Amino acid sequence: MQQGQPMVIMGDDAQRVKDKDAQEYNISAARGVAEAVRSTLGPKGMDKMLVDSMGDVTITNDGVTILQTMDIDNPTAEMIVEVAETQEDEAGDGTTSAVAIAGELLKNAEDLLEQDIHPTAVIKGFNLASEYAREQVDELATEIDAEDTATLKSVAETSMTGKGAELEKEVLADLIVRAIQGVTVEADDGSHVVDLANLNIETRTGRSASESRLVSGAVIDKDPVHDDMPTDFEDANVLLLNDAIEVEEADVDTAVNVESPDQLQRFLDQEEEQLREKVDQIVESGADVVFCQKGIDDLAQHYLAKEGILAVRRTKKSDMTFLKNVLDSVIVTDIDSLSSEDVAPGTVQRDTAEELFHVEGPDAHGATLLLYGSTEHVVDELERGVNDAIDVVATTVSDGRTLPGGGAIEVELARRLRDYADSVSGREQLAVEAFADSLELIPRVLAENAGLDSIDLLVDLRAAHDAGDENAGLNVFSGEVEDTFDAGVVETAHAKEQAIASAAEAANLVLKIDDIISAGDLSTSGGDDEGGAPGGGMGGMGGMGGAM
């Protein structure tokens, strides 16, 4: 106060939410994100249709894809999206589980806060529970060998179940496991390293997913730039070029006055000479095949065809990088510096029926998983499911630990956490028990999404685990409790550990906030939309209601 007048330290547009209001605001926003993806969890999970501002449609039940595509405009909600992104980066799958657990932790934390338990006590209890749960995951995990094909297939099939790849999951699981084993090397210390840089995915429409296949080397979906070029080479020298085979243009705008036809002809002759020199340099390097990331002039195409050189232009950057691995080659960025050392030996074959090039290196580095789907939407969702399965199988090979699925591990962890809570003193004990309750969300949601009675099934699951059946999980197809590991419902331990850690850390981060100060409305886009005020609950999550 100055002379009886209040001191104004914030602008007119600024907003501030404090204490309990801030906690309610943050928890409401975070739970809104979690509830948006809960219905997609499990084999019976539903899909979401997401339409972006350009009208492009995405149909998926992949958690991270949904959250990244949604128009989320709330800082707290975006923190929960980061949980899904971290889970995807670190484990490849389990994004929906991680986000759902984070939302349930915050829901149960809110109940504790209403009982006047301080957020610090809740955070400490969650940290204790998270650490103990991850220790128990390691204890419960089953070690497998990198050559255990049957278990690895089960891991792949479990990951794909409930996604677009489920219909042909047996065929795809076999391809995925063979692909992963093909790019796995054993390190000096006996561990296994999966080099996913040597595995590529190419998608095609118009055929059934059951016709998908694994191809040695790279598959390039491009055509020759000239009809007279050869297309098959048993023993070729391949050049990877990231430089245009075109006339070099001036960096600044220029105007040239031509006074006679002879002058114009000299300009044209000079351009032709430039192109001829570029082609001659390629010929002198000994290259038989050129994959160019940039453009190739029509005249240069003619010269290359006369020299018997196959050229492909506008090759995708990702394909160029993969070809570099397949051929153990380099990507040349300047034709003027090109030499014979820059070309690599390889085999190039044209599949005329598919209109694809197959490229192999002498040591068969790399492989391509050729996926088929009936339509673009189908093949896009198929690719997402296969990508998740590839990441999960790769993690399983390198980590070597697996767990039973179907909610079995969550119920067992919850049981052990409740026993552990008895040894925790103070109010943290209640937070540990709340953590245990939160983990049981997974089997409850699995049952709900399958149209089953979640309460009865959770009671049956608890009874089975109390009787010592650590692998007892839910079979959502039969509605029965059974040993899910023996039934082939297998998950990777690393993904479960990561989901628990990410969910706990995100929940604690939200709970630790007791004051929100915003220069404008509480949104991340800085737009003029109303609804950012704390009274709105979800704040500025503008696109969620419409998208869902």
Side-chain angles (χ1 to χ4, degrees), residues 173-193:
D174 178 63
L175 295 176
I176 289 166
V177 172
R178 283 167 45 204
I180 293 296
Q181 291 177 337
V183 297
T184 299
V185 295
E186 187 171 345
D188 295 335
D189 60 358
S191 63
H192 293 86
V193 179

Side-chain angles (χ1 to χ4, degrees), residues 180-366:
I180 293 296
Q181 291 177 337
V183 297
T184 299
V185 295
E186 187 171 345
D188 295 335
D189 60 358
S191 63
H192 293 86
V193 179
V194 182
D195 187 3
L196 291 180
N198 284 329
L199 179 60
N200 198 28
I201 295 179
E202 188 70 33
T203 59
R204 307 279 285 176
T205 59
R207 292 167 67 176
S208 168
S210 62
E211 298 181 56
S212 301
R213 53 198 171 101
L214 185 65
V215 180
S216 178
V219 172
I220 307 299
D221 185 10
K222 288 289 182 180
D223 296 320
V225 295
H226 197 285
D227 292 339
D228 293 337
M229 288 179 171
T231 55
D232 296 276
F233 295 86
E234 287 294 336
D235 187 14
N237 290 321
V238 184
L239 169 64
L240 306 181
L241 184 63
N242 186 16
D243 189 17
I245 311 177
E246 297 174 336
V247 176
E248 297 178 6
E249 297 182 357
D251 294 334
V252 296
D253 292 335
T254 57
V256 179
N257 293 323
V258 178
E259 296 178 353
S260 69
D262 291 340
Q263 286 182 325
L264 177 60
Q265 187 60 46
R266 283 199 298 273
F267 275 112
L268 296 174
D269 291 344
Q270 191 171 1
E271 288 186 350
E272 185 176 337
E273 185 60 28
Q274 281 186 11
L275 292 172
R276 182 74 245 187
E277 289 175 0
K278 289 178 182 290
V279 172
D280 287 344
Q281 285 175 299
I282 293 173
V283 173
E284 289 171 9
S285 71
D288 301 308
V289 180
V290 179
F291 289 99
C292 184
Q293 192 173 333
K294 296 183 179 178
I296 301 177
D297 188 275
D298 290 348
L299 189 57
Q301 296 174 21
H302 169 72
Y303 288 145
L304 289 167
K306 284 185 66 177
E307 297 291 343
I309 296 174
L310 168 63
V312 175
R313 65 179 173 181
R314 307 295 180 191
T315 308
K316 292 186 295 186
K317 182 179 180 181
S318 57
D319 285 343
M320 293 290 285
T321 303
F322 188 58
L323 283 169
K324 179 175 178 286
N325 292 331
V326 168
L327 298 169
D328 193 20
S329 180
V330 296
I331 298 177
V332 178
T333 57
D334 185 9
I335 291 181
D336 294 335
S337 64
L338 179 61
S339 69
S340 59
E341 297 178 355
D342 296 323
V343 299
T347 301
V348 179
Q349 300 289 335
R350 179 69 172 172
D351 185 336
T352 53
E354 295 283 345
E355 297 184 340
L356 300 168
F357 282 109
H358 292 177
V359 183
E360 289 189 63
D363 297 326
H365 292 300

Side-chain angles (χ1 to χ4, degrees), residues 448-468:
E448 289 169 3
N449 290 347
L452 304 172
D453 190 314
S454 60
I455 296 176
D456 289 346
L457 285 170
L458 185 56
V459 170
D460 293 343
L461 281 170
R462 285 179 176 176
H465 283 264
D466 289 340

